[in-house]
Amino acid sequence: ILNVEQSPQSLHVQEGDSTNFTCSFPSSNFYALHWYRWETAKSPEALFVMTLNGDEKKKGRISATLNTKEGYSYLYIKGSQPEDSATYLCAFGSNDYKLSFGAGTTVTVRA
Amino acid sequence: DVKVTQSSRYLVKRTGEKVFLECVQDMDHENMFWYRQDPGLGLRLIYFSYDVKMKEKGDIPEGYSVSREKKERFSLILESASTNQTSMYLCASSSGGPTDTQYFGPGTRLTVL
């Protein structure tokens, strides 16, 4: 079982503030790093797939960076809104069909 | 719009019962996966299938089996349900390897009494 860790486990953000959190993963046999957003009562939804060291992806106010050499990725939320409240999962893809998921960071945006 | 559906959102079963969880995808994906999610833990892979009638154990296969008779359908079977199998079960599908997005169903919250 591959060790994928996310920190913090949860955080509370004031509406309008920006925040970021971390995913760390093994630096060997790297193929891809995925980010998913999982809102309550919904299916996890893909945000980004990153495959190259130094990759940066952006979707609206959410962006992510990737460092495969040191084995970490950051997810940033700029100007948090209540609809950003969700659990954010990262998943590490290695040389098979499978993804290894972290436990998630639960973000609560307070109005 | 891609779609993965699961047969039930909520299920309550008794210890010792045989339980079937069904998953159907309409994207013609080769790969299908069953995960369980418990508080404080990541999604843990139970079984996956990379082709019809093909299956491989994931990280926590004990107490579970699977069936994939058709490409679009992947079933998870709890042969004799136990209370420690109370969990959220998620099905996913993907078209290829580790760089391809997995598409998830809405989950089944199973309670075993």
Side-chain angles (χ1 to χ4, degrees):
Chain A
I1 298 176
L2 296 171
N3 196 25
V4 180
E5 294 186 353
Q6 292 187 245
S7 64
Q9 187 174 357
S10 65
L11 58 92
H12 291 79
V13 188
Q14 201 66 33
E15 183 177 358
D17 287 351
S18 297
T19 189
N20 66 84
F21 38 93
T22 310
C23 171
S24 62
F25 52 86
S27 53
S28 58
N29 291 326
F30 175 88
Y31 274 61
L33 194 284
H34 298 247
W35 282 100
Y36 288 84
R37 174 168 58 200
W38 192 3
E39 296 177 68
T40 303
K42 293 188 178 179
S43 308
E45 174 193 37
L47 286 172
F48 308 115
V49 181
M50 294 185 286
T51 57
L52 297 174
N53 185 43
D55 250 355
E56 291 188 23
K57 299 275 187 178
K58 189 173 180 183
K59 185 176 183 176
R61 293 176 293 95
I62 301 177
S63 61
T65 60
L66 179 68
N67 183 323
T68 60
K69 293 184 194 287
E70 296 181 42
Y72 65 84
S73 175
Y74 291 124
L75 193 90
Y76 299 89
I77 305 176
K78 185 177 178 182
S80 303
Q81 298 298 308
E83 59 265 30
D84 297 326
S85 295
T87 296
Y88 292 82
L89 300 171
C90 70
F92 170 78
S94 187
N95 55 348
D96 57 22
Y97 299 99
K98 300 181 286 186
L99 297 179
S100 297
F101 283 83
T105 294
T106 300
V107 175
T108 304
V109 181
R110 296 180 288 217
Chain B
D1 203 17
V2 298
K3 202 137 188 182
V4 179
T5 56
Q6 295 183 226
S7 49
S8 306
R9 291 300 298 267
Y10 299 94
L11 209 52
V12 180
K13 295 291 181 181
R14 297 247 176 234
T15 301
E17 279 193 78
K18 191 168 186 175
V19 181
F20 293 87
L21 302 182
E22 304 283 338
C23 175
V24 178
Q25 51 98 0
D26 66 358
M27 295 164 282
D28 201 35
H29 282 168
E30 305 294 330
N31 307 320
M32 296 187 76
F33 306 84
W34 275 106
Y35 296 92
R36 64 178 280 178
Q37 197 266 338
D38 299 290
L41 300 175
L43 296 178
R44 292 182 292 166
L45 182 65
I46 305 170
Y47 266 97
F48 70 101
S49 169
Y50 52 90
D51 200 353
V52 176
K53 297 190 187 290
M54 305 301 287
K55 60 187 179 187
E56 280 201 28
K57 293 180 180 179
D59 299 320
I60 50 164
E62 296 78 21
Y64 303 94
S65 62
V66 290
S67 172
R68 193 163 180 207
E69 296 296 320
K70 293 186 178 182
K71 191 176 186 180
E72 67 270 19
R73 189 179 297 268
F74 192 35
S75 303
L76 180 70
I77 303 153
L78 287 66
E79 296 290 342
S80 177
S82 63
T83 55
N84 63 13
Q85 292 178 310
T86 292
S87 188
M88 169 71 86
Y89 289 87
L90 284 157
C91 174
S93 71
S94 75
S95 57
T99 60
D100 290 301
T101 295
Q102 289 189 12
Y103 295 89
F104 285 86
T108 295
R109 185 162 296 281
L110 173 67
T111 302
V112 182
L113 301 175

